[in-house]
Amino acid sequence: MDAAFTAEQDEIRRTLRELLAKRSGPAEVRAAVTTPEGYDTDLWNRMSGTLGLPGLALPEEYGGVGCGPAELALACEETGRALAPSPLLATALLAAPVIRALGTGPQRADLLPRIADGSLTCALAVPGASLALALGLTGDNGSWAAGGGRAGGVQARAAGDGWQLYGEVAQVLDGHSAGLLLVAAHAGGFARSRTLLFLVRGEAAGLVRVRQSTLDATRSQASIQLRDVEAELLGEEPVDVLGALAATGRTAAVALAAEAVGAAQAALDRTVEYVGSREQFGRPIGSFQAVKHRVADLYVQVEAARSLTYGAARDTGDGVGAGALALAAALEALRTAAGETIQLHGGIGFTWEHEAHLYFKRATADELLFGPARRLRERAAQVTGLFGEVAA
């Protein structure tokens, strides 16, 4: 694999890094998460309007840039490095690919250009707190359902020329502020049981959205209540919802891995800087052999995760294996780097005022949302047939 990047890819990285260095430092991140939206709207306008990040992987016919997974991974690596709160994950990585895959011609023409220019933010709402399974990251999503009968979830029923939804979804990324919700719902009863996706406008009557307190404040989440809410079916039946979600999971895994690598690298950089300046017994603590070994081990783990992520971003196959393995390695690297950052910063690393805890919370929250790493590796082994027959 050629690990070198093109001039255009390097420019994406450089431009975004410069913008985030000016607008998304630790103080700005803390201020952004306290806003009603949970992110800096002016920074998002710059990221979308000036840099075109939401449309980076969308076709030019819909106002996108027409790039691929490698460019999206580079962009996510930089947002992860700054822990920048934004709708990029929920809108560009989770919602936009599903709309592109399943939407009718008019739906794509209406929604994708507004996603590309940043004027429309979206959220993917899947019941049961099972986003990783719905995306096929930790198991075959054929075993996942949007709920039905006594199982709860979200129910859909035909109402005239449209549909109505009733139910509740928790842990919806950016669900409190998104202008459009993509809601997975159970339809058809027992005889024609199936999972469909529906478009719900943010201002729809009967929709109640409450922002939740989360471990990682930089990843806003909300609970969604739908009380006979009018909805529009995404696409036309028959529609392969589970296939589209699994395909979205394959591309999202690589971008999430890149984001985790960026955060791990930032934690490592802060640690190296600190141990090089903090003195004990008249010399920097970074000169002690034990500290050197710990930092060196961190460097190797982060670089290994980065290599796997770049390889997965350039993989032209459609299997989940490479992305899942990269995400597992990246999540473990971030967890280790965040923990060592707290330890090697000594007492200050435990304080609320220091930014070290932000990386630790991101690492923990990401594993809860998209992992754990052992399940990601298990799924990769299943789909590649490492221990026997290839899984679906």
Side-chain angles (χ1 to χ4, degrees):
M1 182 194 74
D2 181 9
F5 292 103
T6 66
E8 291 78 8
Q9 290 170 336
D10 285 333
E11 184 64 16
I12 291 173
R13 185 204 298 271
R14 183 193 64 80
T15 305
L16 184 54
R17 183 176 297 186
E18 289 180 354
L19 174 63
L20 294 176
K22 296 176 181 177
R23 300 293 303 274
S24 192
E28 289 80 8
V29 168
R30 292 174 184 270
V33 299
T34 62
T35 63
E37 297 83 3
Y39 60 91
D40 183 346
T41 55
D42 183 61
L43 176 60
W44 173 246
N45 291 335
R46 293 281 300 277
M47 292 170 64
S48 54
T50 304
L51 302 183
L53 291 191
L56 202 58
L58 289 176
E60 294 182 11
E61 64 180 298
Y62 297 118
V65 182
C67 294
E71 289 79 7
L72 199 56
L74 287 176
C76 288
E77 185 177 352
E78 294 307 316
T79 59
R81 181 190 297 270
L83 294 181
S86 78
L88 184 65
L89 169 59
T91 299
L93 299 182
L94 299 181
V98 175
I99 294 173
R100 181 184 173 189
L102 300 181
T104 63
Q107 286 173 336
R108 292 195 299 267
D110 173 43
L111 301 175
L112 293 180
R114 291 193 285 147
I115 290 175
D117 65 19
S119 60
L120 177 65
T121 57
C122 305
L124 178 64
V126 295
S130 55
L131 180 60
L133 179 58
L135 294 174
L137 296 177
T138 55
D140 177 12
N141 67 357
S143 63
W144 169 82
R150 294 184 179 180
V154 180
Q155 311 296 316
R157 64 180 181 86
D161 295 332
W163 293 79
Q164 286 187 343
L165 306 183
Y166 190 94
E168 183 174 355
V169 187
Q171 295 181 308
V172 181
L173 292 170
D174 291 325
H176 70 290
S177 61
L180 179 71
L181 300 176
L182 273 67
V183 182
H186 175 87
F190 180 79
R192 296 187 62 241
S193 174
R194 62 204 190 278
T195 295
L196 300 175
L197 280 170
F198 296 89
L199 303 174
V200 177
R201 311 296 168 176
E203 67 281 1
L207 175 64
V208 179
R209 306 192 283 178
V210 179
R211 186 176 180 182
Q212 296 174 306
S213 297
T214 57
L215 176 64
D216 178 13
T218 65
R219 286 232 196 270
S220 296
Q221 298 179 35
S223 63
I224 307 296
Q225 295 180 2
L226 304 114
R227 300 168 181 170
D228 292 329
V229 174
E230 292 186 1
E232 177 186 351
L233 178 65
L234 179 64
E236 296 177 343
E237 293 195 82
V239 59
D240 185 11
V241 170
L242 299 182
L245 288 175
T248 297
R250 289 193 287 269
T251 56
V254 178
L256 287 166
E259 192 182 64
V261 166
Q265 183 65 59
L268 175 59
D269 290 344
R270 292 180 185 276
T271 303
V272 170
E273 180 182 4
Y274 181 78
V275 300
S277 60
R278 174 75 167 90
E279 292 190 359
Q280 199 170 53
F281 306 114
R283 55 190 287 196
I285 63 174
S287 65
F288 300 135
Q289 189 175 38
V291 175
K292 286 181 180 179
H293 286 174
R294 291 173 71 172
V295 174
D297 288 343
L298 280 182
Y299 174 80
V300 171
Q301 189 171 6
V302 172
E303 286 301 310
R306 177 179 283 112
S307 180
L308 281 171
T309 299
Y310 288 172
R314 296 172 185 274
D315 186 5
T316 57
D318 60 357
V320 72
L325 287 176
L327 182 55
L331 291 178
E332 286 188 337
L334 176 55
R335 182 186 351 118
T336 304
E340 289 285 22
T341 295
I342 291 176
Q343 290 291 323
L344 292 174
H345 274 77
I348 193 174
F350 286 91
T351 63
W352 182 263
E353 292 76 17
H354 197 273
E355 59 271 13
H357 74 95
L358 297 176
Y359 295 97
F360 185 80
K361 290 177 178 177
R362 169 62 67 88
T364 305
D366 272 8
E367 283 226 59
L368 292 173
L369 279 171
F370 306 111
R374 62 178 178 80
R375 294 290 303 277
L376 292 164
R377 288 198 173 95
E378 180 182 356
R379 176 59 177 162
Q382 290 175 346
V383 298
T384 56
L386 183 60
F387 299 117
E389 185 177 350
V390 177

